[in-house]
Structure formats: C-alpha cells, structure tokens
Amino acid sequence: MAFLSRSILALSVALLSNNVFAQKQCDVELRHGLIITDDIIRIVDKGQTRVQINNNNQLFIRGYWIDLSDDESKVLEQFSSGIRQTVPELVNLATDGVNLGLSAIEHVVEGMTDKESEVLKTQLQYVERALMDKFKRGDDFFFIAPQSLSKIDDFFTKDISKKIHSAVHGSLGAILMSLGDAFKSREGNIEDRMNDMSQRMDIISSEIDKSLQEKARQLELKAAEYCECLNALDVTESRLQAIVPGMVNFDLVQIKS
C-alpha cells in the first residue's frame, strides 16, 4: 500500500502549504461575514445584512441610508475598494487549495469500480460543506465567514485535512471490497487492477506535487501583500467610523499585532 501512503502524503502537503500564508501573515481577524458581488458589499452578522455598500458610494446601516458628503463618500469608496482588492483573491486561494485535493481524489478512483462513486460523493460533500461554511464563491459572488486569518492553517490542516483523509480511506475501502468480490467471482484480474490503481496514485501524486510548488510560491508572494492591504483597510475603516459612528457596531477588520 505504498502508493496509498504517497497519495495521502501529497494531499497532506497540499493542505500544509497553507502554513506559508499563515506564518507570514499579520494577526488579522474578520469579525463579521462578507458577501461581495459586482455591485454590492454586505457585512453580515448572524445571517443578517447589517451594513450594505452599493456601487462603492451608497451606505446603508440596518437598512437605513446614510447621507454622505463628497469627501466622506471618497472614504467609503476607499473602504469598499480595499475589501474588493483583498477578499475575493483570498477566497480564490482558499478554495483552489482544497479543490486541488478533491479533484485528485476523484481522478484516483475514477473508473476503478462502480461501487465507490456514491461513497466518494457522500464523503466529499462533507469536505465541501465545511469549506463553504468558511469560504464560498459562485459565478457572481464571494463569501468569507468571520474568522482569524492568521489561524487559517488550522482550518485546512486539521478540519479539512481530516475530512479529506476520511474520504480517501472510505473510497479506497469501497474499491478494495469491489476488487475482492471480483477476485472471488473470477471477474477480471485483481493484480492488473491493483497495478492500475497504483499507477494512477503515482501520476496524481506527481501532478499534486507540481501544483503545490507553484501554489506555495503564489502564497509566499501574496502573504506580505495581504498584510499590508488589511492594515490599510483597517486604517480606512477607522476613518469611516469617525465619519459614521454607527459603523463602530459592525467593526470588520481587527489587527491584533
């Protein structure tokens, strides 16, 4: 089962590579959720929109429009632009990292047996659900939940990693059971099928390693940039709170160090 160990190791490295981001990132916490579309930014608390920014220049707090002067609107626009420059890319990096592992698992087991598809689908749904609770993107929106960005590695290396490992073991268990049934009924050559699975594991592991090296470089380049952007966003938010005191109740960015 050496091929299985190599595959699980490669998937673990995929998740651990997120440590590069966490170690170089300053201690930043998003205290509320964010939903971002082309025209609207929503600051969300307990499933409810508390602050809404339309077209970067209209501000609503608890559904009430806040009248701003031209100069005050410029501060709002800077705050809105800061969110748009940082959060969508962060969501993309987070979801791409996990999707790499999920895609790899699917390719490894694809076509090996008819029995693994439902097992794999069910277990990967748990992985995807955990991911979407924190990060989600669609054709026209991005979502990020309240969380400490400096501890994002814990989410990937503990929660998501555990669920991915369960999916791997569950799907491979179904494959081995199917191969055992085929052997007993003399349907097919179990040795050839095992060799085929081993080769698939090796190919996928190699492809994962290549992708991980590139992703690690991307994360290293972005880490310092994120820290600077979020610090600047916090400063702009403080300026906006001075203009609109109601924004203090929905403080979004908190820098702890």
Side-chain angles (χ1 to χ4, degrees), residues 27-42:
D27 197 354
V28 181
E29 181 177 345
L30 292 181
R31 304 186 69 183
H32 301 281
L34 276 172
I35 300 174
I36 302 171
T37 66
D38 288 342
D39 302 323
I40 298 173
I41 292 175
R42 291 186 173 92

Side-chain angles (χ1 to χ4, degrees), residues 3-4 26 37 76 107 160 185 209 225 248 251:
F3 59 91
L4 175 58
C26 51
T37 66
L76 177 64
H107 283 301
I160 292 296
S185 61
D209 288 339
E225 180 182 329
V248 175
D251 188 47

Side-chain angles (χ1 to χ4, degrees), residues 114-125:
D114 294 333
K115 291 188 177 182
E116 97 289 341
S117 58
E118 287 304 316
V119 175
L120 181 63
K121 182 183 296 184
T122 299
Q123 295 196 19
L124 291 186
Q125 283 176 349

Side-chain angles (χ1 to χ4, degrees), residues 154-193:
D154 287 343
F155 171 64
F156 284 99
T157 59
K158 295 178 181 178
D159 192 4
I160 292 296
S161 178
K162 182 179 179 180
K163 287 180 171 60
I164 284 182
H165 284 196
S166 295
V168 170
H169 286 294
S171 59
L172 288 179
I175 291 174
L176 294 176
M177 288 178 62
S178 177
L179 292 176
D181 291 342
F183 180 74
K184 290 177 182 178
S185 61
R186 297 182 180 180
E187 296 175 0
N189 187 313
I190 189 170
E191 183 176 353
D192 288 344
R193 299 187 71 185

